[in-house]
């Protein structure tokens, strides 16, 4: 059995992205406008020597990977409160860490044409809980809060909480709450 940070080896059960699996989400913004989309796992890719599963549809595309309970994602765009980042790699979950644990990522962002460094801090706010999403009860859920700050004139300024995401064992992302919208899983089919 391998270990990482003194944690037991993980089977990466919080992202069961097997070929052909599909996850349908409903996104509702502050104006109560809604969009439904389905992310389908369609193959593998290698980026900078790391292996990822490709997930997407006609409008959304991302790559997700997991090694020993550390889940990473390569996304095409992140935006919040005037800050944007493109082609970024983030570590969105470490399923072996206990409740209250934190980790961070450093990314490059742009705000009004000015590039700077931003810091993403993740905190496990729930672990082993249950959550009902769109009438479906999920167990063994991990919640991760993502907060951001940016380097401005040699100081680090808080940007705020970007999201709280909920991951269920055997399913993956079931809900993501952000200031501007909420995304919830409607249905899924794991192959």
């Amino acid at each position: 059995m391998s270990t990482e940070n003194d944690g037991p080896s993980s089977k990466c059960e919080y992202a069961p992205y097997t070929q052909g699996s599909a996850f349908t989400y409903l996104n509702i913004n502050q104006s109560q406008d809604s969009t439904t989309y389905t992310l389908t796992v369609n193959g593998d890719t290698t980026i900078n020597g790391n292996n990822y599963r490709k997930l997407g549809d006609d409008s959304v595309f991302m790559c997700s990977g997991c090694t020993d309970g550390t889940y990473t994602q390569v996304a095409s765009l992140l935006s919040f409160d005037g800050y944007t980042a493109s082609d970024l790699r983030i570590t969105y979950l470490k399923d072996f860490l206990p409740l209250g644990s934190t980790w961070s990522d450093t990314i490059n962002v742009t705000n009004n044409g000015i590039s700077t460094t931003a810091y993403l801090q993740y905190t496990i706010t729930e672990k082993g809980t249950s959550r009902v999403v769109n009438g479906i009860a999920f167990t063994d859920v991990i919640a991760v809060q993502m907060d951001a700050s940016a380097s401005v004139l040699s100081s680090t300024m808080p940007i705020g909480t970007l999201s709280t995401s909920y991951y269920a064992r055997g399913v993956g992302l079931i809900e993501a709450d952000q200031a501007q919208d909420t995304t919830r899983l409607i249905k899924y089919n794991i192959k």
Side-chain angles (χ1 to χ4, degrees):
M1 174 184 263
S2 66
T3 61
E4 180 172 323
N5 294 347
D6 297 320
S9 175
S10 169
K11 296 179 183 175
C12 298
E13 296 173 308
Y14 288 88
Y17 298 142
T18 52
Q19 178 64 31
S21 294
F23 305 84
T24 302
Y25 294 95
L26 173 65
N27 177 274
I28 302 173
N29 67 19
Q30 290 174 323
S31 303
Q32 298 304 304
D33 295 329
S34 63
T35 304
T36 301
Y37 61 94
T38 300
L39 298 180
T40 302
V41 180
N42 188 15
D44 298 321
T45 189
T46 301
I47 302 171
N48 295 328
N50 297 304
N51 296 321
Y52 295 94
R53 289 290 196 170
K54 298 187 292 186
L55 291 91
D57 70 358
D58 291 339
S59 61
V60 178
F61 176 77
M62 67 178 182
C63 296
S64 181
C66 178
T67 303
D68 291 332
T70 298
Y71 300 75
T72 56
Q73 183 179 75
V74 176
S76 58
L77 181 67
L78 171 72
S79 65
F80 181 79
D81 207 21
Y83 290 89
T84 59
S86 59
D87 298 325
L88 66 142
R89 179 184 185 269
I90 60 173
T91 303
Y92 65 91
L93 177 61
K94 292 187 176 190
D95 71 13
F96 56 88
L97 293 177
L99 180 67
S101 295
T102 63
W103 65 94
S104 61
D105 283 322
T106 302
I107 61 173
N108 294 316
V109 296
T110 304
N111 188 349
N112 292 324
I114 299 171
S115 294
T116 190
T117 300
Y119 309 97
L120 302 176
Q121 180 168 317
Y122 307 87
T123 304
I124 296 179
T125 58
E126 294 179 29
K127 187 154 187 184
T129 61
S130 297
R131 187 166 188 86
V132 176
V133 177
N134 286 320
I136 304 168
F138 296 96
T139 59
D140 209 357
V141 173
I142 299 175
V144 178
Q145 179 177 306
M146 180 172 52
D147 296 298
S149 58
S151 179
V152 179
L153 301 173
S154 301
S155 296
T156 301
M157 305 298 291
I159 297 172
T161 298
L162 299 184
S163 67
T164 300
S165 297
Y166 300 85
Y167 304 92
R169 181 185 301 272
V171 179
L173 179 69
I174 57 171
E175 182 175 337
D177 297 327
Q178 302 176 87
Q180 66 274 19
D181 63 6
T182 296
T183 301
R184 292 186 177 101
L185 184 66
I186 298 173
K187 63 181 179 177
Y188 60 96
N189 181 13
I190 297 174
K191 301 283 183 169

